Amino acid sequence: MNGPRFNEWIVSPKVRVIDHEGENLGVMYTREAMAQAQELGLDLVEVSPNADPPVAKFLDVGKFKYEAQKKANLARKSQKTQEIKEIKMRPNIDDHDYDTKMKKVAEFIEEGDKVKVTMRFRGRELSHGQLGMAVLQRVAEQVAETAKVEAYPRMEGRQMLMVLAPK
């Protein structure tokens, strides 16, 4: 059975009862409370099973489950997943190209995504790793207020990687 226990599935002999208007009726025998609930055309639903004694309420079980499901769906809908966006650069990148890429980096970070900055080296550029490192340092300094460096620049084959995450 999924969801809260109700009526004959409540295992404890005594429960603290709250009626349909939210009034505390005190501790009573489960069987007695169930009879009162049925008189009102409602079910006795265990709302706090870990309390001592458990707390039960006079409710309509179907409606209670429906409301709980709606609440769970709303929570799932408002959840934001964090993606990793990638920006690729070259060590001898021109100023205008650099500025354009930086606008995108700022945009991604503002949206709450992580940004992986990839510096690609081709041919002879590989022997000038310090040029790529300088560009990545410049990127890190420029986004210092909005982002933190999660993974510092490191070489992986022919490329240098750095990961930025929103603060």
Side-chain angles (χ1 to χ4, degrees):
M1 187 176 105
N2 59 347
R5 289 191 286 236
F6 60 96
N7 294 346
E8 49 278 345
W9 285 289
I10 296 176
V11 288
S12 71
K14 284 185 174 183
V15 288
R16 181 174 303 280
V17 181
I18 295 170
D19 73 0
H20 58 291
E21 287 154 1
E23 293 294 315
N24 189 347
L25 303 179
V27 178
M28 56 173 74
Y29 288 104
T30 305
R31 201 172 292 118
E32 194 182 309
M34 230 172 355
Q36 281 187 23
Q38 271 155 0
E39 278 173 29
L40 294 165
L42 297 168
D43 303 297
L44 184 69
V45 182
E46 202 173 42
V47 287
S48 180
N50 300 333
D52 187 35
V55 178
K57 210 169 186 178
F58 294 167
L59 294 167
D60 180 357
V61 165
K63 192 174 179 184
F64 183 72
K65 282 184 178 176
Y66 173 72
E67 293 291 335
Q69 191 178 8
K70 251 173 73 170
K71 215 179 279 181
N73 285 346
L74 192 67
R76 194 169 29 259
K77 199 166 77 174
S78 63
Q79 209 171 46
K80 168 91 171 84
T81 55
Q82 194 176 46
E83 293 178 41
I84 296 184
K85 305 283 189 172
E86 187 173 16
I87 294 285
K88 293 179 179 169
M89 295 183 177
R90 298 279 309 280
N92 53 356
I93 190 168
D94 198 46
D95 285 340
H96 186 266
D97 295 341
Y98 174 82
D99 293 338
T100 307
K101 302 251 185 201
M102 284 311 295
K103 276 185 194 154
K104 281 313 254 182
V105 168
E107 198 177 294
F108 292 148
I109 285 173
E110 220 167 88
E111 288 171 11
D113 296 323
K114 289 183 180 183
V115 179
K116 179 167 136 188
V117 184
T118 307
M119 182 65 56
R120 291 176 130 182
F121 294 97
R122 279 196 183 134
R124 267 186 229 155
E125 293 172 349
L126 209 53
S127 59
H128 297 287
Q130 75 278 6
L131 292 176
M133 185 58 109
V135 174
L136 289 179
Q137 292 292 332
R138 188 171 153 202
V139 170
E141 285 166 21
Q142 204 165 333
V143 295
E145 293 111 45
T146 55
K148 62 181 182 289
V149 179
E150 198 171 76
Y152 286 93
R154 67 178 189 282
M155 284 301 288
E156 257 182 36
R158 293 188 151 274
Q159 49 193 20
M160 194 179 277
L161 303 173
M162 175 173 77
V163 180
L164 302 169
K167 275 190 178 170

